[in-house]
Short mmCIF file of all heavy atoms in Angstrom, two decimals:
data_model
loop_
_atom_site.label_atom_id
_atom_site.label_comp_id
_atom_site.label_asym_id
_atom_site.label_seq_id
_atom_site.Cartn_x
_atom_site.Cartn_y
_atom_site.Cartn_z
N THR A 1 129.59 151.68 119.37
CA THR A 1 128.47 152.29 120.07
C THR A 1 127.53 152.95 119.06
O THR A 1 127.95 153.38 117.99
CB THR A 1 128.95 153.36 121.07
OG1 THR A 1 129.69 154.34 120.37
CG2 THR A 1 129.77 152.76 122.18
N LEU A 2 126.29 153.04 119.47
CA LEU A 2 125.28 153.67 118.63
C LEU A 2 125.29 155.18 118.84
O LEU A 2 125.61 155.65 119.93
CB LEU A 2 123.90 153.11 118.98
CG LEU A 2 123.67 151.64 118.68
CD1 LEU A 2 122.37 151.17 119.29
CD2 LEU A 2 123.67 151.41 117.19
N PRO A 3 124.91 155.95 117.81
CA PRO A 3 124.83 157.40 117.99
C PRO A 3 123.68 157.78 118.90
O PRO A 3 122.71 157.05 119.03
CB PRO A 3 124.61 157.91 116.56
CG PRO A 3 124.00 156.76 115.84
CD PRO A 3 124.55 155.52 116.47
N HIS A 4 123.80 158.93 119.54
CA HIS A 4 122.72 159.47 120.37
C HIS A 4 121.55 159.83 119.47
O HIS A 4 121.78 160.37 118.41
CB HIS A 4 123.25 160.71 121.10
CG HIS A 4 122.27 161.34 122.02
ND1 HIS A 4 122.04 160.85 123.27
CD2 HIS A 4 121.45 162.39 121.86
CE1 HIS A 4 121.13 161.60 123.85
NE2 HIS A 4 120.77 162.53 123.02
N PRO A 5 120.29 159.60 119.72
CA PRO A 5 119.67 158.97 120.89
C PRO A 5 119.51 157.46 120.78
O PRO A 5 118.93 156.84 121.65
CB PRO A 5 118.31 159.64 120.96
CG PRO A 5 117.92 159.85 119.54
CD PRO A 5 119.26 160.16 118.84
N LYS A 6 120.02 156.85 119.72
CA LYS A 6 119.90 155.40 119.57
C LYS A 6 120.55 154.66 120.74
O LYS A 6 120.07 153.62 121.17
CB LYS A 6 120.51 154.91 118.25
CG LYS A 6 119.64 155.20 117.05
CD LYS A 6 118.43 154.30 117.06
CE LYS A 6 117.62 154.47 115.81
NZ LYS A 6 116.31 153.84 115.94
N ASN A 7 121.64 155.21 121.27
CA ASN A 7 122.30 154.55 122.40
C ASN A 7 121.39 154.57 123.63
O ASN A 7 121.37 153.63 124.40
CB ASN A 7 123.66 155.15 122.69
CG ASN A 7 123.63 156.62 123.01
OD1 ASN A 7 122.65 157.31 122.77
ND2 ASN A 7 124.72 157.13 123.55
N LEU A 8 120.61 155.65 123.81
CA LEU A 8 119.67 155.71 124.92
C LEU A 8 118.53 154.71 124.72
O LEU A 8 118.08 154.07 125.67
CB LEU A 8 119.08 157.12 125.06
CG LEU A 8 120.02 158.21 125.55
CD1 LEU A 8 119.30 159.55 125.56
CD2 LEU A 8 120.54 157.87 126.93
N GLN A 9 118.08 154.58 123.50
CA GLN A 9 117.01 153.62 123.20
C GLN A 9 117.49 152.19 123.47
O GLN A 9 116.76 151.38 124.01
CB GLN A 9 116.55 153.78 121.75
CG GLN A 9 115.85 155.10 121.51
CD GLN A 9 115.70 155.41 120.04
OE1 GLN A 9 116.62 155.20 119.26
NE2 GLN A 9 114.54 155.91 119.68
N GLU A 10 118.74 151.91 123.10
CA GLU A 10 119.30 150.58 123.35
C GLU A 10 119.43 150.33 124.85
O GLU A 10 119.09 149.25 125.34
CB GLU A 10 120.65 150.44 122.67
CG GLU A 10 121.26 149.06 122.86
CD GLU A 10 122.60 148.90 122.19
OE1 GLU A 10 123.37 149.88 122.15
OE2 GLU A 10 122.87 147.79 121.72
N LEU A 11 119.90 151.32 125.59
CA LEU A 11 120.04 151.18 127.04
C LEU A 11 118.68 150.96 127.69
O LEU A 11 118.53 150.11 128.58
CB LEU A 11 120.73 152.41 127.63
CG LEU A 11 121.02 152.38 129.11
CD1 LEU A 11 121.91 151.20 129.48
CD2 LEU A 11 121.69 153.68 129.54
N LEU A 12 117.67 151.71 127.26
CA LEU A 12 116.32 151.52 127.78
C LEU A 12 115.83 150.10 127.51
O LEU A 12 115.30 149.44 128.40
CB LEU A 12 115.37 152.54 127.14
CG LEU A 12 113.89 152.40 127.48
CD1 LEU A 12 113.65 152.68 128.96
CD2 LEU A 12 113.06 153.33 126.62
N ALA A 13 116.05 149.61 126.31
CA ALA A 13 115.63 148.26 125.95
C ALA A 13 116.32 147.22 126.82
O ALA A 13 115.69 146.27 127.30
CB ALA A 13 115.91 147.99 124.47
N VAL A 14 117.61 147.39 127.05
CA VAL A 14 118.36 146.43 127.88
C VAL A 14 117.86 146.47 129.32
O VAL A 14 117.65 145.44 129.96
CB VAL A 14 119.88 146.73 127.81
CG1 VAL A 14 120.63 145.95 128.87
CG2 VAL A 14 120.40 146.41 126.43
N ARG A 15 117.60 147.66 129.82
CA ARG A 15 117.15 147.78 131.22
C ARG A 15 115.73 147.27 131.43
O ARG A 15 115.37 146.93 132.56
CB ARG A 15 117.29 149.22 131.69
CG ARG A 15 118.76 149.57 131.87
CD ARG A 15 118.94 150.75 132.74
NE ARG A 15 120.36 150.97 132.99
CZ ARG A 15 120.87 152.14 133.27
NH1 ARG A 15 120.09 153.21 133.36
NH2 ARG A 15 122.15 152.27 133.48
N LEU A 16 114.96 147.21 130.38
CA LEU A 16 113.63 146.62 130.51
C LEU A 16 113.71 145.16 130.95
O LEU A 16 112.78 144.65 131.58
CB LEU A 16 112.86 146.70 129.19
CG LEU A 16 112.16 148.01 128.88
CD1 LEU A 16 111.54 147.94 127.49
CD2 LEU A 16 111.11 148.35 129.91
N ARG A 17 114.81 144.51 130.65
CA ARG A 17 114.97 143.09 131.00
C ARG A 17 115.20 142.89 132.50
O ARG A 17 115.03 141.79 133.01
CB ARG A 17 116.15 142.49 130.24
CG ARG A 17 115.89 142.45 128.75
CD ARG A 17 117.00 141.79 128.04
NE ARG A 17 116.88 140.34 128.24
CZ ARG A 17 117.70 139.47 127.72
NH1 ARG A 17 118.71 139.87 126.98
NH2 ARG A 17 117.53 138.18 127.92
N LEU A 18 115.56 143.95 133.21
CA LEU A 18 115.76 143.85 134.66
C LEU A 18 114.41 143.71 135.36
O LEU A 18 113.40 144.23 134.88
CB LEU A 18 116.48 145.09 135.18
CG LEU A 18 117.86 145.40 134.60
CD1 LEU A 18 118.37 146.72 135.13
CD2 LEU A 18 118.83 144.27 134.93
N SER A 19 114.40 143.04 136.49
CA SER A 19 113.13 142.83 137.21
C SER A 19 112.50 144.15 137.63
O SER A 19 111.27 144.26 137.65
CB SER A 19 113.34 141.93 138.43
OG SER A 19 114.26 142.51 139.32
N GLU A 20 113.32 145.17 137.91
CA GLU A 20 112.75 146.47 138.30
C GLU A 20 112.36 147.32 137.09
O GLU A 20 111.77 148.37 137.23
CB GLU A 20 113.70 147.25 139.22
CG GLU A 20 114.99 147.67 138.58
CD GLU A 20 116.13 146.67 138.77
OE1 GLU A 20 115.89 145.53 139.20
OE2 GLU A 20 117.27 147.04 138.47
N GLY A 21 112.71 146.86 135.92
CA GLY A 21 112.35 147.59 134.70
C GLY A 21 113.22 148.80 134.47
O GLY A 21 114.34 148.89 134.96
N ALA A 22 112.69 149.75 133.72
CA ALA A 22 113.43 150.96 133.36
C ALA A 22 112.58 152.19 133.64
O ALA A 22 111.39 152.21 133.33
CB ALA A 22 113.81 150.92 131.88
N ASP A 23 113.21 153.19 134.22
CA ASP A 23 112.54 154.46 134.51
C ASP A 23 112.72 155.38 133.31
O ASP A 23 113.83 155.80 133.00
CB ASP A 23 113.11 155.09 135.77
CG ASP A 23 112.32 156.28 136.26
OD1 ASP A 23 111.67 156.95 135.42
OD2 ASP A 23 112.35 156.54 137.47
N TYR A 24 111.62 155.71 132.67
CA TYR A 24 111.65 156.54 131.46
C TYR A 24 112.29 157.90 131.72
O TYR A 24 112.95 158.46 130.85
CB TYR A 24 110.21 156.71 130.94
CG TYR A 24 110.13 157.37 129.60
CD1 TYR A 24 110.35 156.64 128.43
CD2 TYR A 24 109.84 158.72 129.48
CE1 TYR A 24 110.29 157.24 127.19
CE2 TYR A 24 109.78 159.33 128.24
CZ TYR A 24 109.99 158.58 127.11
OH TYR A 24 109.94 159.19 125.88
N GLN A 25 112.14 158.45 132.92
CA GLN A 25 112.68 159.77 133.23
C GLN A 25 114.21 159.78 133.29
O GLN A 25 114.81 160.85 133.26
CB GLN A 25 112.11 160.29 134.55
CG GLN A 25 110.64 160.65 134.42
CD GLN A 25 110.08 161.21 135.71
OE1 GLN A 25 110.65 161.02 136.79
NE2 GLN A 25 108.97 161.89 135.61
N GLU A 26 114.83 158.62 133.37
CA GLU A 26 116.29 158.56 133.39
C GLU A 26 116.90 158.75 132.00
O GLU A 26 118.11 158.73 131.86
CB GLU A 26 116.75 157.22 133.98
CG GLU A 26 116.42 157.07 135.45
CD GLU A 26 116.83 155.73 136.01
OE1 GLU A 26 117.54 154.96 135.33
OE2 GLU A 26 116.44 155.44 137.15
N TYR A 27 116.05 158.91 130.99
CA TYR A 27 116.50 159.04 129.61
C TYR A 27 115.90 160.31 128.99
O TYR A 27 115.06 160.24 128.08
CB TYR A 27 116.09 157.81 128.80
CG TYR A 27 116.49 156.52 129.48
CD1 TYR A 27 115.62 155.86 130.32
CD2 TYR A 27 117.77 156.00 129.31
CE1 TYR A 27 116.00 154.69 130.97
CE2 TYR A 27 118.16 154.85 129.95
CZ TYR A 27 117.26 154.19 130.79
OH TYR A 27 117.64 153.05 131.43
N PRO A 28 116.33 161.49 129.47
CA PRO A 28 115.70 162.74 129.00
C PRO A 28 115.91 163.02 127.51
O PRO A 28 115.16 163.80 126.93
CB PRO A 28 116.36 163.82 129.86
CG PRO A 28 117.64 163.21 130.32
CD PRO A 28 117.40 161.73 130.41
N GLY A 29 116.86 162.37 126.88
CA GLY A 29 117.10 162.61 125.46
C GLY A 29 116.25 161.78 124.52
O GLY A 29 116.34 161.92 123.31
N LEU A 30 115.40 160.92 125.08
CA LEU A 30 114.56 160.07 124.23
C LEU A 30 113.44 160.87 123.58
O LEU A 30 112.90 161.80 124.17
CB LEU A 30 113.93 158.94 125.05
CG LEU A 30 114.85 157.80 125.44
CD1 LEU A 30 114.11 156.83 126.35
CD2 LEU A 30 115.37 157.08 124.23
N SER A 31 113.10 160.48 122.39
CA SER A 31 112.03 161.16 121.66
C SER A 31 110.66 160.69 122.15
O SER A 31 110.54 159.66 122.81
CB SER A 31 112.16 160.87 120.16
OG SER A 31 111.92 159.50 119.93
N SER A 32 109.65 161.44 121.79
CA SER A 32 108.29 161.06 122.15
C SER A 32 107.88 159.77 121.45
O SER A 32 107.01 159.05 121.93
CB SER A 32 107.31 162.19 121.83
OG SER A 32 107.33 162.48 120.46
N SER A 33 108.52 159.47 120.33
CA SER A 33 108.19 158.21 119.64
C SER A 33 108.61 157.00 120.48
O SER A 33 107.94 155.97 120.45
CB SER A 33 108.83 158.16 118.25
OG SER A 33 110.23 158.13 118.34
N SER A 34 109.67 157.11 121.26
CA SER A 34 110.07 156.02 122.15
C SER A 34 109.00 155.79 123.21
O SER A 34 108.66 154.65 123.52
CB SER A 34 111.40 156.32 122.83
OG SER A 34 112.43 156.38 121.88
N PHE A 35 108.47 156.89 123.74
CA PHE A 35 107.41 156.76 124.73
C PHE A 35 106.17 156.15 124.10
O PHE A 35 105.50 155.31 124.70
CB PHE A 35 107.09 158.12 125.35
CG PHE A 35 106.09 158.03 126.47
CD1 PHE A 35 106.46 157.55 127.71
CD2 PHE A 35 104.77 158.40 126.27
CE1 PHE A 35 105.53 157.45 128.75
CE2 PHE A 35 103.84 158.30 127.29
CZ PHE A 35 104.22 157.83 128.53
N SER A 36 105.87 156.51 122.87
CA SER A 36 104.73 155.94 122.15
C SER A 36 104.88 154.44 121.95
O SER A 36 103.91 153.69 122.04
CB SER A 36 104.55 156.63 120.80
OG SER A 36 104.25 157.97 120.95
N ILE A 37 106.12 154.00 121.69
CA ILE A 37 106.38 152.57 121.54
C ILE A 37 106.13 151.85 122.86
O ILE A 37 105.51 150.79 122.89
CB ILE A 37 107.82 152.33 121.03
CG1 ILE A 37 107.96 152.83 119.60
CG2 ILE A 37 108.20 150.85 121.14
CD1 ILE A 37 109.38 152.92 119.10
N LEU A 38 106.59 152.43 123.97
CA LEU A 38 106.34 151.83 125.28
C LEU A 38 104.84 151.76 125.55
O LEU A 38 104.34 150.75 126.06
CB LEU A 38 107.04 152.64 126.38
CG LEU A 38 108.57 152.60 126.38
CD1 LEU A 38 109.12 153.60 127.38
CD2 LEU A 38 109.08 151.20 126.67
N GLU A 39 104.12 152.81 125.22
CA GLU A 39 102.66 152.85 125.41
C GLU A 39 101.98 151.75 124.58
O GLU A 39 101.05 151.09 125.05
CB GLU A 39 102.10 154.22 125.03
CG GLU A 39 102.35 155.29 126.06
CD GLU A 39 101.54 155.08 127.33
OE1 GLU A 39 100.33 154.79 127.24
OE2 GLU A 39 102.13 155.20 128.41
N LYS A 40 102.44 151.58 123.35
CA LYS A 40 101.87 150.56 122.47
C LYS A 40 102.00 149.18 123.11
O LYS A 40 101.02 148.43 123.19
CB LYS A 40 102.58 150.58 121.11
CG LYS A 40 102.13 149.45 120.18
CD LYS A 40 102.94 149.43 118.90
CE LYS A 40 104.04 148.39 119.00
NZ LYS A 40 104.74 148.15 117.74
N TRP A 41 103.20 148.86 123.59
CA TRP A 41 103.43 147.54 124.19
C TRP A 41 102.70 147.41 125.53
O TRP A 41 102.29 146.32 125.91
CB TRP A 41 104.92 147.27 124.31
CG TRP A 41 105.52 146.97 122.98
CD1 TRP A 41 106.28 147.80 122.20
CD2 TRP A 41 105.39 145.75 122.23
NE1 TRP A 41 106.62 147.17 121.02
CE2 TRP A 41 106.09 145.91 121.02
CE3 TRP A 41 104.76 144.54 122.48
CZ2 TRP A 41 106.17 144.92 120.06
CZ3 TRP A 41 104.83 143.55 121.52
CH2 TRP A 41 105.53 143.74 120.33
N LYS A 42 102.53 148.51 126.23
CA LYS A 42 101.74 148.48 127.47
C LYS A 42 100.29 148.13 127.14
O LYS A 42 99.68 147.29 127.79
CB LYS A 42 101.81 149.84 128.17
CG LYS A 42 101.02 149.88 129.49
CD LYS A 42 101.13 151.21 130.16
CE LYS A 42 100.02 152.10 129.63
NZ LYS A 42 99.90 153.36 130.37
N ASN A 43 99.75 148.75 126.09
CA ASN A 43 98.37 148.48 125.69
C ASN A 43 98.18 147.05 125.18
O ASN A 43 97.07 146.52 125.22
CB ASN A 43 97.92 149.48 124.62
CG ASN A 43 97.80 150.88 125.18
OD1 ASN A 43 97.58 151.07 126.37
ND2 ASN A 43 97.94 151.87 124.33
N LEU A 44 99.26 146.43 124.73
CA LEU A 44 99.20 145.03 124.28
C LEU A 44 99.41 144.05 125.43
O LEU A 44 99.46 142.84 125.22
CB LEU A 44 100.25 144.79 123.19
CG LEU A 44 99.99 145.50 121.85
CD1 LEU A 44 101.20 145.37 120.94
CD2 LEU A 44 98.74 144.92 121.19
N GLY A 45 99.57 144.58 126.65
CA GLY A 45 99.73 143.72 127.82
C GLY A 45 101.12 143.19 128.03
O GLY A 45 101.31 142.23 128.78
N CYS A 46 102.11 143.82 127.40
CA CYS A 46 103.49 143.35 127.51
C CYS A 46 104.33 144.15 128.50
O CYS A 46 105.41 143.72 128.89
CB CYS A 46 104.15 143.37 126.14
SG CYS A 46 103.37 142.22 125.00
N LEU A 47 103.84 145.33 128.87
CA LEU A 47 104.54 146.18 129.83
C LEU A 47 103.55 146.65 130.90
O LEU A 47 102.36 146.84 130.62
CB LEU A 47 105.14 147.42 129.15
CG LEU A 47 106.26 147.21 128.15
CD1 LEU A 47 106.61 148.52 127.46
CD2 LEU A 47 107.49 146.63 128.82
N ILE A 48 104.07 146.87 132.08
CA ILE A 48 103.33 147.48 133.17
C ILE A 48 103.99 148.83 133.43
O ILE A 48 105.22 148.92 133.48
CB ILE A 48 103.41 146.63 134.45
CG1 ILE A 48 102.72 145.29 134.24
CG2 ILE A 48 102.82 147.37 135.64
CD1 ILE A 48 102.94 144.31 135.38
N GLN A 49 103.18 149.86 133.62
CA GLN A 49 103.73 151.17 133.93
C GLN A 49 103.38 151.54 135.37
O GLN A 49 102.22 151.47 135.77
CB GLN A 49 103.18 152.25 132.99
CG GLN A 49 103.79 153.60 133.25
CD GLN A 49 103.28 154.66 132.29
OE1 GLN A 49 102.38 154.42 131.48
NE2 GLN A 49 103.84 155.84 132.40
N GLU A 50 104.39 151.90 136.13
CA GLU A 50 104.23 152.39 137.49
C GLU A 50 104.93 153.74 137.55
O GLU A 50 106.16 153.80 137.57
CB GLU A 50 104.84 151.42 138.50
CG GLU A 50 104.16 150.06 138.48
CD GLU A 50 104.94 148.98 139.21
OE1 GLU A 50 106.17 149.14 139.37
OE2 GLU A 50 104.33 147.99 139.60
N ASN A 51 104.14 154.82 137.51
CA ASN A 51 104.66 156.18 137.38
C ASN A 51 105.47 156.26 136.09
O ASN A 51 104.94 156.00 135.02
CB ASN A 51 105.44 156.59 138.63
CG ASN A 51 104.58 156.57 139.87
OD1 ASN A 51 103.44 157.05 139.85
ND2 ASN A 51 105.07 155.99 140.93
N SER A 52 106.76 156.55 136.18
CA SER A 52 107.57 156.66 134.96
C SER A 52 108.37 155.38 134.69
O SER A 52 109.18 155.34 133.77
CB SER A 52 108.52 157.85 135.05
OG SER A 52 109.40 157.71 136.15
N ARG A 53 108.12 154.34 135.45
CA ARG A 53 108.86 153.07 135.31
C ARG A 53 108.03 152.07 134.52
O ARG A 53 106.84 151.90 134.77
CB ARG A 53 109.20 152.51 136.68
CG ARG A 53 110.06 151.26 136.63
CD ARG A 53 110.60 150.90 137.99
NE ARG A 53 111.49 151.92 138.51
CZ ARG A 53 112.77 152.04 138.18
NH1 ARG A 53 113.31 151.20 137.32
NH2 ARG A 53 113.52 152.99 138.70
N PHE A 54 108.68 151.42 133.56
CA PHE A 54 108.05 150.36 132.78
C PHE A 54 108.74 149.04 133.09
O PHE A 54 109.97 148.99 133.18
CB PHE A 54 108.18 150.64 131.28
CG PHE A 54 107.29 151.75 130.79
CD1 PHE A 54 107.70 153.07 130.86
CD2 PHE A 54 106.05 151.46 130.26
CE1 PHE A 54 106.88 154.09 130.40
CE2 PHE A 54 105.22 152.47 129.80
CZ PHE A 54 105.63 153.79 129.87
N ARG A 55 107.93 147.99 133.26
CA ARG A 55 108.45 146.64 133.50
C ARG A 55 107.78 145.68 132.53
O ARG A 55 106.63 145.87 132.16
CB ARG A 55 108.15 146.17 134.92
CG ARG A 55 108.89 146.88 136.00
CD ARG A 55 108.64 146.29 137.39
NE ARG A 55 107.23 146.30 137.78
CZ ARG A 55 106.48 145.21 137.94
NH1 ARG A 55 106.99 144.02 137.73
NH2 ARG A 55 105.23 145.30 138.31
N LEU A 56 108.51 144.63 132.19
CA LEU A 56 107.94 143.58 131.34
C LEU A 56 106.96 142.72 132.13
O LEU A 56 107.23 142.39 133.29
CB LEU A 56 109.05 142.68 130.79
CG LEU A 56 110.02 143.28 129.79
CD1 LEU A 56 111.19 142.34 129.58
CD2 LEU A 56 109.33 143.59 128.48
N THR A 57 105.86 142.36 131.52
CA THR A 57 104.95 141.36 132.07
C THR A 57 105.48 139.99 131.65
O THR A 57 106.46 139.90 130.90
CB THR A 57 103.53 141.56 131.53
OG1 THR A 57 103.56 141.35 130.11
CG2 THR A 57 102.97 142.94 131.86
N ASP A 58 104.82 138.94 132.11
CA ASP A 58 105.21 137.59 131.66
C ASP A 58 105.12 137.50 130.14
O ASP A 58 106.00 136.96 129.49
CB ASP A 58 104.32 136.52 132.31
CG ASP A 58 104.62 136.35 133.79
OD1 ASP A 58 105.71 136.76 134.24
OD2 ASP A 58 103.76 135.80 134.50
N ARG A 59 104.04 138.06 129.58
CA ARG A 59 103.87 138.07 128.12
C ARG A 59 104.98 138.88 127.47
O ARG A 59 105.54 138.51 126.44
CB ARG A 59 102.51 138.64 127.78
CG ARG A 59 102.25 138.81 126.31
CD ARG A 59 100.83 139.40 126.10
NE ARG A 59 100.68 139.97 124.78
CZ ARG A 59 100.29 139.29 123.71
NH1 ARG A 59 100.02 138.01 123.81
NH2 ARG A 59 100.18 139.89 122.56
N GLY A 60 105.33 140.01 128.08
CA GLY A 60 106.39 140.87 127.56
C GLY A 60 107.74 140.19 127.54
O GLY A 60 108.55 140.40 126.64
N MET A 61 107.98 139.34 128.54
CA MET A 61 109.25 138.60 128.56
C MET A 61 109.35 137.67 127.36
O MET A 61 110.42 137.50 126.79
CB MET A 61 109.38 137.82 129.86
CG MET A 61 109.66 138.69 131.04
SD MET A 61 109.85 137.68 132.51
CE MET A 61 109.43 138.85 133.77
N LEU A 62 108.22 137.09 126.99
CA LEU A 62 108.21 136.20 125.82
C LEU A 62 108.41 136.97 124.52
O LEU A 62 108.97 136.43 123.56
CB LEU A 62 106.89 135.43 125.75
CG LEU A 62 106.62 134.45 126.89
CD1 LEU A 62 105.20 133.90 126.79
CD2 LEU A 62 107.63 133.32 126.87
N LEU A 63 107.97 138.22 124.49
CA LEU A 63 108.05 139.03 123.27
C LEU A 63 109.14 140.10 123.35
O LEU A 63 109.16 141.05 122.57
CB LEU A 63 106.69 139.69 123.00
CG LEU A 63 105.55 138.71 122.73
CD1 LEU A 63 104.22 139.44 122.66
CD2 LEU A 63 105.80 137.95 121.44
N TYR A 64 110.06 139.93 124.30
CA TYR A 64 111.09 140.95 124.53
C TYR A 64 111.87 141.32 123.26
O TYR A 64 112.12 142.50 123.01
CB TYR A 64 112.08 140.53 125.62
CG TYR A 64 113.25 141.46 125.69
CD1 TYR A 64 113.12 142.71 126.26
CD2 TYR A 64 114.46 141.12 125.10
CE1 TYR A 64 114.17 143.60 126.29
CE2 TYR A 64 115.52 142.02 125.11
CZ TYR A 64 115.36 143.25 125.71
OH TYR A 64 116.40 144.15 125.71
N ASP A 65 112.25 140.36 122.45
CA ASP A 65 113.04 140.65 121.26
C ASP A 65 112.29 141.62 120.33
O ASP A 65 112.90 142.52 119.76
CB ASP A 65 113.41 139.38 120.50
CG ASP A 65 114.46 138.55 121.23
OD1 ASP A 65 115.15 139.10 122.12
OD2 ASP A 65 114.58 137.35 120.92
N GLU A 66 110.99 141.43 120.19
CA GLU A 66 110.20 142.32 119.36
C GLU A 66 110.10 143.71 119.96
O GLU A 66 110.17 144.73 119.25
CB GLU A 66 108.79 141.74 119.13
CG GLU A 66 108.79 140.50 118.27
CD GLU A 66 107.39 139.96 118.07
OE1 GLU A 66 106.50 140.73 117.66
OE2 GLU A 66 107.19 138.77 118.36
N ILE A 67 109.93 143.78 121.27
CA ILE A 67 109.85 145.06 121.97
C ILE A 67 111.17 145.81 121.81
O ILE A 67 111.19 147.00 121.46
CB ILE A 67 109.50 144.87 123.47
CG1 ILE A 67 108.12 144.23 123.61
CG2 ILE A 67 109.59 146.18 124.23
CD1 ILE A 67 107.80 143.73 125.00
N ALA A 68 112.28 145.14 122.05
CA ALA A 68 113.60 145.77 121.94
C ALA A 68 113.85 146.22 120.51
O ALA A 68 114.38 147.32 120.29
CB ALA A 68 114.68 144.79 122.38
N SER A 69 113.47 145.42 119.55
CA SER A 69 113.66 145.77 118.15
C SER A 69 112.85 147.03 117.80
O SER A 69 113.32 147.91 117.06
CB SER A 69 113.22 144.61 117.26
OG SER A 69 113.32 144.96 115.90
N ASP A 70 111.65 147.13 118.35
CA ASP A 70 110.82 148.30 118.14
C ASP A 70 111.48 149.56 118.71
O ASP A 70 111.41 150.63 118.10
CB ASP A 70 109.47 148.10 118.84
CG ASP A 70 108.28 148.20 117.92
OD1 ASP A 70 108.48 148.28 116.71
OD2 ASP A 70 107.15 148.19 118.44
N LEU A 71 112.10 149.43 119.87
CA LEU A 71 112.73 150.58 120.52
C LEU A 71 114.02 151.02 119.83
O LEU A 71 114.31 152.20 119.74
CB LEU A 71 113.03 150.27 121.99
CG LEU A 71 111.84 150.30 122.92
CD1 LEU A 71 112.20 149.69 124.26
CD2 LEU A 71 111.35 151.73 123.11
N VAL A 72 114.79 150.06 119.37
CA VAL A 72 116.08 150.37 118.76
C VAL A 72 115.92 150.43 117.26
O VAL A 72 116.22 151.28 116.57
CB VAL A 72 117.15 149.33 119.14
CG1 VAL A 72 118.48 149.67 118.52
CG2 VAL A 72 117.28 149.24 120.66
#
């Protein structure tokens, strides 16, 4: 297992692959840099944000490995 908060970042990355995405508020131990990474990918059209939930777009699904690598 990864040390905290890396384990949270990994869990967030894995949950992004789900159709419902990942709720950022479910990971209170994440740093602001993790949120900045999500914002970056959102601005690139790879994530959709609905309140505190992020989901992959079609483009994001194609680039998922890069997004996950950025988060972890």
